[in-house]
Amino acid sequence: MAGSGYVGILTVELHFPESGSLKGKRKHVASAKAHLRERFGASVAEVDHHELWQRSRLAVACASSGHRELVEHLNAVERYLGSQAFELVRVERDVVVPGEL
């Protein structure tokens, strides 16, 4: 379907080895979410591991009019997350074309 755009979803597992409390982890997660929103215009939600001190799973969604642009955008998000003080443990990537199921 031409003109429908693309939506990319990254599901990422993060590990915070220095975190000794939920409060410490939440500070890192809040900062990462804010940077992803500000820097990449992404929608971000913590979707799992809410009560663990050193782990988090985030869903990061981005939209673009072109597939190539979207892939480059998702690559940039992944590079950014991989360059932070926490560890990027796993990344799953999905690309959805609205109207195609």
Side-chain angles (χ1 to χ4, degrees):
M1 174 183 286
S4 63
Y6 298 86
V7 177
I9 303 165
L10 292 179
T11 305
V12 297
E13 290 274 341
L14 305 177
H15 179 241
F16 305 94
E18 301 300 318
S19 180
S21 69
L22 282 175
K23 184 177 179 180
K25 179 194 96 164
R26 288 183 180 138
K27 179 181 170 188
H28 290 293
V29 170
S31 176
K33 288 169 59 176
H35 280 99
L36 290 168
R37 288 182 185 121
E38 294 166 10
R39 187 172 180 164
F40 299 101
S43 294
V44 188
E46 185 175 14
V47 296
D48 201 2
H49 308 311
H50 300 281
E51 299 304 319
L52 298 179
W53 293 3
Q54 294 185 326
R55 290 181 60 194
S56 181
R57 180 178 292 148
L58 301 180
V60 182
C62 302
S64 180
S65 60
H67 185 268
R68 184 173 162 186
E69 289 174 58
L70 179 66
V71 169
E72 290 172 3
H73 200 74
L74 294 175
N75 288 343
V77 168
E78 190 173 338
R79 278 192 306 274
Y80 171 77
L81 289 171
S83 70
Q84 300 306 300
F86 49 80
E87 297 173 8
L88 179 60
V89 177
R90 181 174 44 184
V91 178
E92 296 175 18
R93 182 183 294 215
D94 293 302
V95 175
V96 177
V97 179
E100 290 185 11
L101 295 178

